[in-house]
Amino acid sequence: MTGPPAAQRLFSPAFIALGVAELAYFTAVGVSIYALPLTVTGPIGGDEAMAGLAFGAFALSALVLRPVAGRLTDTLGRRPLLLGGALTAALSLALLATAGDLVTIIALRLLAGVAEAAFFVAGFAALADLAPPARMGEALSYNSLGLYLGIALGPPLGEVLVGVSGFGLAWIGAAALAVVAAGLSLLVGETREGPPPAKADRRIIHRPAVPISLGFLASLVPIGGFLTFAALQAEAVGSVAASAPLLVYGGVVVVCRIVFARLPDRVPPLALGAAALVTIGIGLALIAAWASPIGLVLGTGVAAIGVAFSTPAFFGAIFATASPSQRGVASGTASAAIDLGLGLGPIVLGLVAHAAGIPWAFVVGAAVAAMGALWTLVLLRRTGASARSQANLPT
């Protein structure tokens, strides 16, 4: 039995408004993905390691605040954190237009981490509220289009804005997009179901999500490094446009999320997550081994296929462990892996790139993905063993 049609409706006005708000927010992020490393290695006069540090600095504040944001999302509601996160992002992006040194950039990236914690956690909790349980994987696939379209469209937009009037215009344009995201957040409304959790159940860590989040982390460390160094690798191999691999990356993810939107609801999430990690590793290894524009584009496309399925797989497994009153804290716990991955990835792989070259950073990223696949398969085996044990209990 599939339930009444109303209970299975996915594309409600609030669901669509949430997706468009995230598109505006992550297009702003996409502009920064293009502009930040080039700003640091250009006008600021830094090197690859400094670019990685600046890129990943936001994760320090986001990591600390993400679990707190999850609990606030469950107690105060989803909309206040969506609105506050978008407006804080707008402030940090606008101020980057005036930053003239690395210390100032890092401070503003820390402020961006505050915005990321609030907006991202509240967005995923709202998504879980709005999606029918039987269509959670499909909802995650469609909802994430905003993120990946933003990553696809933001870098070319940033490149155009820089070409028109320098980096200052790129940062102002990104800030304007974040303001648009704030306005759209008001249209989402409050999606929290029922009363806030009781005081006795106000933990900031959702423990069942932790082992699964480690597998998710293994997909994010290499991708954090890829996002940081894709434009620099494109320049190193003679690509026509430095933003080309980022455009390919976002475009492939978007196409896969649309074409295979229902797959995450039909495949065990941990099995899908392990396959996604293997695919990411193959793509990054190909980029490292084939130092040419063709190798970069092909490897990016393969890695992007893995990314297309990693987030729906791991978040689907995590939300399956959470009740409605735990969705915020589950989202906060799981998305802390995003901070660690997108923060540690650029920093650690930036050090590798500085010491041995950018291709070796991709090699290390591929190794991390492979280890994550092994860990996820262990979790899958444990889950299967637990299910068999429960089935054999006397009734």
Side-chain angles (χ1 to χ4, degrees):
M1 183 175 295
T2 59
Q8 296 297 314
R9 185 185 183 192
L10 179 58
F11 292 100
S12 64
F15 181 87
I16 295 171
L18 178 63
V20 179
E22 291 176 344
L23 172 61
Y25 183 94
F26 289 110
T27 301
V29 172
V31 172
S32 70
I33 288 173
Y34 170 79
L36 186 65
L38 297 178
T39 297
V40 173
T41 59
I44 300 301
D47 57 22
E48 290 86 352
M50 291 181 181
L53 178 61
F55 193 97
F58 83 98
L60 299 176
S61 53
L63 177 63
V64 172
L65 295 176
R66 189 90 70 167
V68 177
R71 180 48 63 208
L72 290 174
T73 298
D74 286 334
T75 55
L76 299 179
R78 319 315 192 199
R79 185 167 59 177
L81 275 80
L82 283 171
L83 181 61
L87 291 176
T88 303
L91 177 64
S92 67
L93 290 165
L95 291 176
L96 277 167
T98 66
D101 58 79
L102 185 63
V103 173
T104 302
I105 289 175
I106 290 174
L108 292 173
R109 291 291 288 167
L110 291 172
L111 182 61
V114 177
E116 180 81 3
F119 188 87
F120 198 93
V121 169
F124 265 110
L127 172 66
D129 296 337
L130 295 167
R135 301 180 71 179
M136 180 63 72
E138 183 183 2
L140 284 162
S141 293
Y142 283 128
N143 175 264
S144 64
L145 292 178
L147 190 159
Y148 288 100
L149 277 171
I151 291 176
L153 299 175
L157 175 60
E159 191 168 22
V160 169
L161 293 176
V162 170
V164 170
S165 188
F167 288 102
L169 181 61
W171 295 122
I172 295 301
L177 286 167
V179 172
V180 171
L184 289 167
S185 297
L186 296 174
L187 300 179
V188 176
E190 182 50 63
T191 64
R192 187 183 65 189
E193 301 176 10
K199 290 185 178 180
D201 186 28
R202 294 191 177 183
R203 305 179 188 92
I204 62 172
I205 300 295
H206 185 61
R207 292 182 181 178
V210 173
I212 304 169
S213 297
L214 292 177
F216 188 36
L217 173 63
S219 72
L220 293 161
V221 167
I223 291 304
F226 168 79
L227 293 175
T228 304
F229 298 113
L232 297 177
Q233 178 71 358
E235 291 184 342
V237 300
S239 178
V240 174
S243 63
L246 295 170
L247 180 61
V248 170
Y249 170 81
V252 170
V253 172
V254 166
V255 170
C256 288
R257 291 277 170 90
I258 294 173
V259 175
F260 302 104
R262 297 185 179 182
L263 182 64
D265 291 320
R266 299 174 178 174
V267 178
L270 291 177
L272 184 61
L277 282 162
V278 170
T279 307
I280 291 170
I282 292 172
L284 295 182
L286 184 58
I287 293 172
W290 193 354
S292 71
I294 295 176
L296 176 59
V297 170
L298 184 59
T300 296
V302 172
I305 292 172
V307 172
F309 297 108
S310 61
T311 299
F314 286 110
F315 266 91
I318 287 163
F319 280 131
T321 70
S323 66
S325 65
Q326 296 172 328
R327 286 170 180 163
V329 72
S331 176
T333 302
S335 58
I338 297 174
D339 301 321
L340 284 171
L342 299 184
L344 288 178
I347 293 171
V348 173
L349 298 185
L351 293 173
V352 174
H354 181 67
I358 291 175
W360 277 103
F362 292 127
V363 170
V364 173
V368 171
M371 290 187 288
L374 291 175
W375 169 249
T376 304
L377 289 174
V378 170
L379 294 180
L380 177 63
R381 184 175 180 180
R382 289 179 181 174
T383 301
S386 176
R388 289 191 296 271
S389 175
Q390 291 294 325
N392 292 329
L393 288 176
T395 58

